[in-house]
């Protein structure tokens, strides 16, 4: 199979869909890997490194997108739509619940889109989302701590405090991979941390791990409101695989928060769990609503591109190899987890949550064969 890896063109996106090690794995199996010139520069990976791994460097994105399978990081954006064609196998993050226009393009153009974020070996296990969720969770606390500084619009609170002064208060809504990693960082900085979740096993696990150093609460509207009003930093870390994130933090809650408080909505790539959140970029990451700082960068891990690229490829390369070896139909028939990753196929949507989010008819994968 011919596999193309384009240079990402989303604003301030420095990751790349494959490392030289990933290229070597695929070329060793007889596949051809086409890397767009300078695609890896943002992750400090040279073209020469890819060539040594057996890949071919091509000068234009048209050549890359002409491959049988395209492996990316972020969802295609408008300048790339015209490059997509019928029966192209696209393997990347799609987040179609928050990308309605892209969903329509994939369907109209007959692209077979396999989304990293919905490959699910067992319920709740999202191995291709996990590494980026871990990065984003850790970065959320860094970003929140930075924007709490007064010169950046925050209330001037140091999360860890100092002797004689109370510590910063952090609320994390969602105790999954993002939330657990955010919790780790916030506790490490010495903050006063509260985690909310609807899964009592998750709360019990975190309570046990941190042995009384954090507070855990069942997530309901009253608990969320109380925690937000008491917090300096609120981190939204809610995920429903393939579906739009529920809006759990309302504008009414935001109005009651202290001026200079900070919200980091990591769920923004699935639509956001904060009512007042809208996607931002690394170029212009924050804005104010009711004097509360909102940080909602949809590709947070892109800022630490080298770490993120290698972590992502470690997770995706096994599935990329499987798709290249067998093609999307046979691969999905052999692996139920991969079948769940198929968001668009032959002009239809085989993933129920994605179909609901896009407002289109759900058709099972098997019925489309």
């Amino acid at each position: 199979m011919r596999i193309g890896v384009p240079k990402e063109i989303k604003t301030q996106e420095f990751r790349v869909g494959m490392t030289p090690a990933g290229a070597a794995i695929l070329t060793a199996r007889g596949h051809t890997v086409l890397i767009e010139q300078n695609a890896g520069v943002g992750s400090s990976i040279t073209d020469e490194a890819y060539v040594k791994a057996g890949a071919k460097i091509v000068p234009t994105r048209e050549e890359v997108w002409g491959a049988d399978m395209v492996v990316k990081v972020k969802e295609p954006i408008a300048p790339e739509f015209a490059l997509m064609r019928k029966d192209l196998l696209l393997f990347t993050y799609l987040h179609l619940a928050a990308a309605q226009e892209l969903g329509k393009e994939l369907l109209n153009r007959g692209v077979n889109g396999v989304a990293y974020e919905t490959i699910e070996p067992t319920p709740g296990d999202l191995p291709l989302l996990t590494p980026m969720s871990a990065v984003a969770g850790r970065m959320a606390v860094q970003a929140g701590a930075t924007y709490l500084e007064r010169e950046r619009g925050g209330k001037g609170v140091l999360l860890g405090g100092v002797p004689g002064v109370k510590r910063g208060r952090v609320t994390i809504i969602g105790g999954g991979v993002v939330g657990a990693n955010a919790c780790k960082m916030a506790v490490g900085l010495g903050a006063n941390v509260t985690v909310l979740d609807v899964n009592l096993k998750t709360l019990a696990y975190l309570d046990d791990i941190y042995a009384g150093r954090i507070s855990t609460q069942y997530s309901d509207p009253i608990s969320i409101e109380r925690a937000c009003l008491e917090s300096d930093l609120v981190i939204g870390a809610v995920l429903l695989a393939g579906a739009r994130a529920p809006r759990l933090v309302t504008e009414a809650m935001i109005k009651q928060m202290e001026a200079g408080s900070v919200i980091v909505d990591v769920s923004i790539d699935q639509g956001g769990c904060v009512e007042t959140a809208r996607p931002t970029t690394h170029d212009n990451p924050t804005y104010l609503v009711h004097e509360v700082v909102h940080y909602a960068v949809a590709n947070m891990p892109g800022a630490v591109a080298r770490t993120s690229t290698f972590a992502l490829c470690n997770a995706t390369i096994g599935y990329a190899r499987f798709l290249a070896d067998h093609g999307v139909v046979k691969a999905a028939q052999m692996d139920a987890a991969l079948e769940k990753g198929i968001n668009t196929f032959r002009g239809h949507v085989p993933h129920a949550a994605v179909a609901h989010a896009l407002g289109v008819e759900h058709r099972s994968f098997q019925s489309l064969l």
Side-chain angles (χ1 to χ4, degrees):
M1 185 178 282
R2 296 170 68 251
I3 302 153
V5 182
K7 182 179 177 65
E8 298 292 326
I9 63 172
K10 191 166 185 173
T11 302
Q12 297 287 355
E13 179 53 71
F14 300 111
R15 290 172 290 180
V16 63
M18 193 173 298
T19 62
I25 289 171
L26 292 170
T27 56
R29 301 178 73 84
H31 304 296
T32 299
V33 178
L34 307 175
I35 308 288
E36 185 176 350
Q37 190 172 18
N38 295 324
V41 169
S43 295
S44 301
I45 303 172
T46 64
D47 287 348
E48 290 74 17
Y50 285 114
V51 171
K52 288 181 180 177
K56 297 179 180 179
I57 304 299
V58 296
T60 68
R61 62 182 183 181
E62 286 78 10
E63 290 177 80
V64 171
W65 281 87
D68 305 306
M69 175 167 71
V70 168
V71 178
K72 288 178 86 296
V73 179
K74 291 302 292 179
E75 70 282 352
I77 58 177
E80 296 169 309
F81 290 170
L83 299 168
M84 301 190 300
R85 66 186 192 280
K86 185 177 180 180
D87 294 330
L88 171 69
L89 175 53
L90 177 63
F91 190 40
T92 187
Y93 287 118
L94 289 176
H95 297 296
L96 294 182
Q100 301 279 321
E101 183 183 5
L102 171 61
K104 293 176 183 177
E105 289 286 341
L106 293 173
L107 294 174
N108 291 338
R109 294 176 182 273
V111 176
N112 298 328
V114 181
Y116 296 160
E117 72 273 11
T118 61
I119 290 178
E120 193 173 7
T122 58
D125 178 21
L126 304 169
L128 276 62
L129 189 61
T130 294
M132 294 305 93
S133 294
V135 171
R138 295 180 184 211
M139 286 187 68
V141 178
Q142 289 183 190
T146 297
Y147 287 101
L148 276 170
E149 295 174 7
R150 187 64 184 174
E151 75 277 10
R152 296 180 183 270
K155 62 173 67 173
V157 168
L158 180 67
L159 284 183
V162 293
V165 181
K166 68 180 181 180
R167 298 173 292 158
R169 301 157 298 178
V170 178
T171 289
I172 302 168
I173 304 173
V177 176
V178 171
N181 278 274
C183 182
K184 181 183 294 185
M185 295 295 283
V187 170
L189 288 174
N192 185 339
V193 181
T194 298
V195 179
L196 298 99
D197 202 287
V198 293
N199 189 324
L200 295 178
K201 289 184 178 179
T202 295
L203 295 179
Y205 171 77
L206 292 172
D207 188 70
D208 184 49
I209 289 293
Y210 291 102
R213 288 182 291 163
I214 68 170
S215 296
T216 57
Q217 294 183 31
Y218 185 81
S219 182
D220 58 49
I222 293 175
S223 296
I224 292 172
E225 180 176 18
R226 183 185 303 117
C228 287
L229 301 194
E230 295 173 350
S231 294
D232 303 303
L233 169 61
V234 175
I235 296 173
V238 179
L239 175 71
L240 298 175
R244 198 204 181 287
R247 289 193 174 100
L248 302 180
V249 179
T250 66
E251 185 170 0
M253 297 177 192
I254 304 293
K255 286 181 179 179
Q256 298 177 69
M257 292 176 66
E258 293 181 1
S261 298
V262 176
I263 290 175
V264 177
D265 193 347
V266 186
S267 305
I268 196 64
D269 55 8
Q270 287 292 121
C273 66
V274 177
E275 187 176 9
T276 49
R278 55 176 172 79
T280 61
T281 67
H282 289 294
D283 282 342
N284 189 19
T286 64
Y287 59 92
L288 287 174
V289 177
H290 304 304
E291 297 187 89
V292 174
V293 179
H294 288 57
Y295 178 101
V297 175
N299 63 324
M300 291 174 64
V304 288
R306 185 170 176 86
T307 296
S308 298
T309 288
F310 280 84
L312 179 60
C313 190
N314 289 345
T316 60
I317 189 59
Y319 286 100
R321 182 187 65 220
F322 199 63
L323 284 166
D325 285 350
H326 302 290
V328 65
V329 172
K330 187 175 180 182
Q333 290 174 328
M334 296 169 67
D335 187 340
L338 199 148
E339 181 184 332
K340 291 183 179 179
I342 300 174
N343 282 200
T344 61
F345 182 70
R346 296 177 180 173
H348 298 279
V349 181
H351 193 288
V354 174
H356 177 74
L358 291 176
V360 300
E361 179 189 5
H362 168 240
R363 291 279 303 276
S364 72
F365 174 70
Q366 296 300 325
S367 72
L368 297 171
L369 297 179

